[in-house]
Amino acid sequence: MELKAFIEITRPHNCLLAGLVGVLGSIVAAGHLPSAGKTALVFLVVILGCAGGNTINDYFDYEIDKINRPDRPLPRGAMKRSTALRYSFLLFAAGLALSVFISLYAFLFALVAYAAMVIYAWKLKPTPLMGNLVVAALTGATPLYGALGVGKIGLAGTLALCAFLVNVAREIVKDIEDVEGDLEKGARTLPILIGKRKAAYLASFFGVLTVIASFLPVKAGVGVGYYAMLPVDAIILYASYIILRDQSKETAHRSQLLLKVSIFLAVAAFLMAAVV
């Protein structure tokens, strides 16, 4: 067993981004940086939940990852599946324990979100569109969790909406990328049921909706925030264009990576909108 597998299986870069989005939700909701203690708790609860979700996802995806992602810790033998399962629930338990120190509502929110992660990985991920919507909703819930920590919504609502929409697009594109392995496993993902071309149209539709939603801060009088979103919108539109043009595995991989980059940049844009 490789010790680094315990870090690798959580996909720490994704967890770090999720934690920052949770903190960002607190900042944009409050309009300023909350107390260090509250910020740290939100950050840790989100990171631990994301880490637990990624780990249990790999537990359930073991067979399909042997085809689509053989370099991940479980298919390459760096960690036992049983160890990954126990590790995931340890991460969830730690996150829930910390959420108690935020508020009762924060604990209940985390409990529901963590349970949704398990149900998604266990049952919903292979289902057409429903799995995509659930994981996108969990992503959109991240800034709302940060807002819950300070008792306000503010721009966190717009950030949550944009995060939800762009992640629906990315999840569909990822399904297009993974069609080969999903077919081998017998999964019924959206591109398998309706075809990669139609799935690409749907992904692009959600990409365009994300761009439209990004104008909401302008209506709220937050012009600087939108100007910072301009390059983000351009990346989302370009990612939508290339997946419409070509649905090959290579292009789908490139498109979903661009959408992922847009999420990183959007975090910075909304942070600017909140503090400027």
Side-chain angles (χ1 to χ4, degrees):
M1 187 185 305
E2 300 175 11
L3 290 178
K4 70 175 184 179
F6 283 90
I7 297 176
E8 185 183 350
I9 198 170
T10 66
R11 297 197 271 289
H13 57 289
N14 286 346
C15 294
L16 177 61
L17 174 61
L20 291 174
V21 171
V23 171
L24 178 61
S26 297
I27 296 173
V28 300
H32 58 80
L33 186 65
S35 67
K38 188 66 66 73
T39 300
L41 284 171
V42 168
F43 183 73
L44 290 173
V45 171
V46 173
I47 277 189
L48 288 166
C50 181
N54 286 334
T55 301
I56 202 165
N57 185 74
D58 278 14
Y59 169 81
F60 285 110
D61 271 3
Y62 174 70
E63 294 295 336
I64 199 168
D65 279 347
K66 288 196 294 186
I67 301 169
N68 286 336
R69 293 174 175 83
D71 57 328
R72 283 186 174 172
L74 296 186
R76 76 167 190 261
M79 178 186 292
K80 294 180 180 179
R81 288 188 72 199
S82 58
T83 301
L85 182 62
R86 290 192 295 269
Y87 182 42
S88 67
F89 282 105
L90 178 63
L91 292 166
F92 286 140
L96 288 174
L98 290 176
S99 70
V100 172
F101 295 98
I102 301 176
S103 69
L104 174 61
Y105 291 118
F107 168 78
L108 294 175
F109 194 109
L111 181 62
V112 171
Y114 288 6
M117 291 179 197
V118 176
I119 295 171
Y120 164 76
W122 176 32
K123 290 290 185 181
L124 295 180
K125 187 174 183 179
T127 60
L129 192 57
M130 179 58 71
N132 304 130
L133 293 174
V134 170
V135 73
L138 286 168
T139 305
T142 304
L144 291 181
Y145 189 77
L148 182 65
V150 296
K152 297 179 181 179
I153 296 297
L155 281 177
T158 303
L159 177 58
L161 176 61
C162 289
F164 169 74
L165 293 172
V166 76
N167 274 281
V168 173
R170 183 169 180 260
E171 288 298 314
I172 295 173
V173 173
K174 284 171 64 181
D175 281 347
I176 295 173
E177 179 187 1
D178 292 342
V179 161
E180 180 183 346
D182 289 339
L183 279 171
E184 184 76 19
K185 189 182 178 183
R188 298 171 63 252
T189 61
L190 196 66
I192 292 173
L193 288 183
I194 68 174
K196 293 192 287 186
R197 181 72 173 174
K198 290 180 180 178
Y201 273 111
L202 187 59
S204 298
F205 172 71
F206 277 98
V208 172
L209 285 181
T210 306
V211 173
I212 294 172
S214 72
F215 280 87
L216 292 176
V218 178
K219 291 186 178 181
V222 191
V224 175
Y226 178 70
Y227 295 136
M229 279 292 292
L230 284 175
V232 180
D233 287 343
I235 292 172
I236 293 171
L237 291 174
Y238 180 68
S240 301
Y241 165 72
I242 64 172
I243 195 61
L244 279 177
R245 186 183 60 188
D246 175 31
Q247 295 83 49
S248 67
K249 183 179 180 69
E250 293 75 17
T251 302
H253 180 69
R254 184 183 177 196
S255 177
Q256 67 97 352
L257 283 180
L258 285 170
L259 290 172
K260 188 174 183 177
V261 168
S262 76
I263 297 170
F264 277 94
L265 295 178
V267 169
F270 273 87
L271 179 59
M272 185 179 296
V275 300
V276 176

